[in-house]
Amino acid sequence: QVQLVESGGGLVQAGGSLRLSCAASGYTFGYIMAWFRQAPGKEREFVAAISNSGGATYYADSVKGRFTISRDNAKKTVYLQMNSLKPEETAVYCCATGRPATMWGSDYDYWGQGTQVTVSS
């Protein structure tokens, strides 16, 4: 059974940084990994994705240059380093894995419960 468990969320001031982690279990960790976020009252949106080897990454335009996705296949963990955070990026951040049609699509097979990120102004 595939399980994804996120951690690292919290409260940070605008302009600050956080590093999220997503630990996977129950499978070989050979799939694409991605981060999504959902703010209250808004639809879930794609943030970043990384290929199974880590050789390819893809970012939403809104986070390019500020966020970095990475993975440690030995630890079965994917990370999201978030810098220069903005209040409007307050949301629940979830990781996902699977074989989507595109890295930025929402048709991932497995999802974590998410971790809350709150950015104060």
Side-chain angles (χ1 to χ4, degrees), residues 3-118:
Q3 284 193 316
L4 302 173
V5 180
E6 302 94 337
S7 61
L11 175 64
V12 63
Q13 289 189 331
S17 299
L18 280 176
R19 187 194 194 203
L20 306 183
S21 299
C22 172
S25 62
Y27 73 114
T28 61
F29 201 59
Y31 299 150
I32 293 170
M33 299 291 298
W35 286 96
F36 287 78
R37 64 189 179 190
Q38 187 166 19
K42 295 188 176 181
E43 293 187 355
R44 182 171 60 197
E45 66 171 338
F46 170 80
V47 176
I50 188 166
S51 64
N52 56 349
S53 68
T57 57
Y58 192 85
Y59 296 92
D61 288 343
S62 60
V63 306
K64 282 180 181 176
R66 298 185 298 118
F67 289 15
T68 303
I69 188 170
S70 62
R71 65 191 292 163
D72 184 334
N73 286 346
K75 295 182 178 180
K76 293 188 176 182
T77 301
V78 64
Y79 305 97
L80 185 67
Q81 177 66 45
M82 306 185 295
N83 299 328
S84 302
L85 282 161
K86 305 173 182 180
E88 57 265 36
E89 294 181 309
T90 293
V92 174
Y93 285 70
C94 296
C95 65
T97 190
R99 297 174 177 175
T102 61
M103 293 177 73
W104 56 89
S106 61
D107 56 333
Y108 284 80
D109 301 292
Y110 305 99
W111 296 81
Q113 292 296 310
T115 185
Q116 176 70 45
V117 172
T118 302

